[in-house]
Amino acid sequence: RAAAVGQALPWYWCAWGLAQRAVLCSLLFAVATPGLVAWMPVWVYVKRRERMLMAKGPRWNDSVAETKMMVCALIVMAFVLGCLGYALLHRSAVPLAFIAYLYATMRLYEEAVADARSCYSLYKLLFLRPSTMAAMVQKRKAAKAALDAASFSLPDGVASEVKTTHDEALPKTSWRRAF
């Protein structure tokens, strides 16, 4: 909200967001690690195939994605069918839970990577020089002015929602008392 009216993000927001994302990233990676270890042979094989294709030259760039999709799709289909067959033969729900866990592993891994990237961005923002931050705030003001100038073409209900006042951009609680 503060950036919407040309103010810099307070350092304690960056620090708090950094701490939250670091903890969440650690937890997600910890839960996903056993599943990542199970997927590791597939990833090693796919990366080896990628290097082999890239060694053939730049004309094979499209084939890299196609090969990854084909190999992973075939392995996942064989794994799911194998687990379903085993579950039906042995009348056990454990293989079905394993399928669900490996799916959750991929989702948790994606979220952990996103949190790690966000954590790194907040880290860089936290230790940004004041001169660089001032330049970024000025660029943000210029971009907002350009968007405000173009907002006349929006319908009335939408245009009123786009405008943010200085008071609306301020934090809802006073963090200064906490520090």
Side-chain angles (χ1 to χ4, degrees), residues 138-157:
Q138 290 304 319
K139 287 180 182 181
R140 169 79 178 172
K141 282 182 182 178
K144 176 128 174 56
L147 285 174
D148 286 344
S151 68
F152 69 89
S153 61
L154 295 173
D156 292 332

Side-chain angles (χ1 to χ4, degrees), residues 152-164:
F152 69 89
S153 61
L154 295 173
D156 292 332
V158 175
S160 65
E161 292 293 322
V162 171
K163 306 285 186 209
T164 303

Side-chain angles (χ1 to χ4, degrees), residues 2 8 15 30 41 65 68 70 80 85-86 91 95 101 109 114 117 125 135 142 150 154 168 172:
K68 284 181 181 181
M70 181 189 68
V80 168
Y86 186 86
R91 300 183 196 279
Y101 175 70
Y109 171 73
R117 287 180 178 154
L125 190 60
L154 295 173
E168 290 173 339
K172 301 298 180 202

Side-chain angles (χ1 to χ4, degrees), residues 7-67:
Q7 297 176 350
L9 192 64
W11 69 269
Y12 44 85
W13 285 4
C14 289
W16 181 242
L18 180 75
Q20 287 176 333
R21 283 168 182 80
V23 167
L24 185 59
C25 177
S26 300
L27 289 173
L28 291 174
F29 272 130
V31 173
T33 297
L36 293 174
V37 170
W39 281 112
M40 189 61 64
V42 176
W43 288 336
V44 168
Y45 176 75
V46 167
K47 288 307 267 181
R48 192 172 64 227
R49 293 281 303 170
E50 178 183 347
R51 280 194 301 274
M52 288 170 45
L53 281 172
M54 294 304 287
K56 291 182 178 182
R59 297 168 121 195
W60 292 86
N61 285 346
D62 291 339
S63 298
V64 171
E66 292 169 1
T67 302

